[in-house]
Amino acid sequence: MAEQHTPRSLIVSLYGAYGRSPDGAPLPVAELIRLLGVLGVDAPSVRSSVSRLKRRGLLLARRTADGAAGYALSDDARMLLDDGDRRIYARTVPALSDGWVLAVFSVPEAERHKRHLLRSRLARLGFGTAAPGVWIAPARLYEETRHTLERLELAAYVDLFRGDHLGFAPTAESVARWWDLPSIAKLHEEFLDAHEPVLRAWSTEPGGPEEAYRAYLLALDSWRRLPYADPVLPLELLPENWPGTRSAEVFAALHELLHARGAEFVRM
């Protein structure tokens, strides 16, 4: 799962963690190669992955202030990362009273490829399936869902509703049908297996800026997928000893320990 770090994913994680300057300044290509090289990604793989992200409209070729070649985030990419921050760094405990957002879609047969795109994108946003063509998620995901559907030009096929679950089955039983909770729990356990030992090591014997940067970016690259696979449901709807609680604590502690220290290496 999360430990399969691809060059493209690591580049997105790098921009998310350290590449969003307020003035939109680009990261020089030479810096991208240096910073990805520390993670074991060679220069040709960096250039190839950057080209793919450019074709997707997420990175824009720009010159730095001193004239060097570089890449800046597009407006869509910046919105994508800003939306992601609300999940990745969220520390609020969801409440059942927050309610739900429903996505109900209908796609003409002539455009059935968009039906598949809608399903896959809603799943990646953390929606569960309540019924054919009816997808459900915690209500706090409404804004990000709207942004995503508009960006992909899929909004015309979807109606969004907000409300409460009124029955007939208990909500906890329904949640177990809407989402594959054992699979989500396994993702959290894998994250803990990989990164809880890192937290223990850094808590007792901190390393230098380069080591902090490497450990943090790998943890972030693993973690940032999880709040999308896991919609982060109220605890009363989840099985006992839910591992998502501990994995969120581990990532938050790693962020506190490593992010600023890693930034020292990025600025070198």
Side-chain angles (χ1 to χ4, degrees):
M1 87 89 191
E3 299 314 304
Q4 296 175 353
H5 303 284
T6 67
R8 199 182 328 177
S9 177
L10 287 168
I11 290 169
V12 173
S13 294
L14 171 59
Y15 272 93
Y18 300 113
R20 278 181 282 177
S21 61
D23 60 358
L27 277 176
V29 173
E31 277 299 281
L32 285 170
I33 290 171
R34 177 180 77 92
L35 293 170
L36 272 294
V38 170
L39 302 167
V41 182
D42 60 27
S45 296
V46 173
R47 294 183 187 277
S48 173
S49 298
V50 165
S51 294
R52 292 192 191 99
L53 291 168
K54 181 184 174 185
R55 286 196 296 271
R56 288 179 57 193
L58 298 176
L59 293 180
L60 305 172
R62 294 286 185 268
R63 291 284 171 181
T64 65
D66 60 3
Y71 286 90
L73 292 166
S74 68
D75 290 341
D76 279 351
R78 193 172 286 272
M79 178 181 287
L80 201 63
L81 291 173
D82 289 347
D83 282 343
D85 283 354
R86 285 188 279 275
R87 295 188 189 226
I88 292 166
Y89 302 106
R91 298 298 295 151
T92 55
V93 178
L96 188 55
S97 60
D98 295 342
W100 306 91
V101 59
L102 287 179
V104 180
F105 66 82
S106 178
V107 180
E109 184 63 25
E111 298 179 278
R112 58 182 178 272
H113 64 285
K114 292 187 177 179
R115 190 181 305 143
H116 172 72
L117 180 58
L118 261 170
R119 288 171 179 154
S120 63
R121 194 56 58 154
L122 289 171
R124 286 171 61 182
L125 285 167
F127 276 72
T129 310
V134 181
W135 293 63
I136 188 167
R140 71 178 184 283
L141 302 185
Y142 162 71
E143 288 290 345
E144 184 181 358
T145 301
R146 182 173 63 82
H147 290 162
T148 300
L149 296 177
E150 289 174 345
R151 179 170 54 82
L152 296 174
E153 299 181 351
L154 294 171
Y157 305 97
V158 184
D159 285 305
L160 297 176
F161 300 88
R162 186 169 182 169
D164 301 317
H165 179 238
L166 300 178
F168 293 94
T171 304
E173 289 183 15
S174 298
V175 159
R177 294 196 311 272
W178 299 337
W179 283 276
D180 185 351
L181 295 180
S183 293
I184 295 171
K186 187 172 186 293
L187 297 179
H188 284 294
E189 289 160 358
E190 289 173 351
F191 177 85
L192 288 169
D193 288 344
H195 297 286
E196 197 165 25
V198 177
L199 176 60
R200 286 196 295 267
W202 274 85
S203 298
T204 57
E205 190 174 344
E210 181 177 336
E211 292 79 14
Y213 162 79
R214 184 188 299 111
Y216 180 69
L217 209 70
L218 291 175
L220 174 63
D221 196 55
S222 295
W223 172 256
R224 69 182 180 84
R225 299 164 171 81
L226 264 169
Y228 288 90
D230 181 354
V232 189
L233 301 168
L235 282 176
E236 62 262 43
L237 301 180
L238 295 168
E240 288 187 26
N241 301 315
W242 179 249
T245 304
R246 178 59 185 158
S247 67
E249 292 170 350
V250 167
F251 176 72
L254 286 169
H255 177 76
E256 185 70 23
L257 276 173
L258 303 177
H259 180 260
R261 186 76 165 137
E264 298 175 22
F265 177 72
V266 174
R267 292 192 297 265
M268 286 180 179

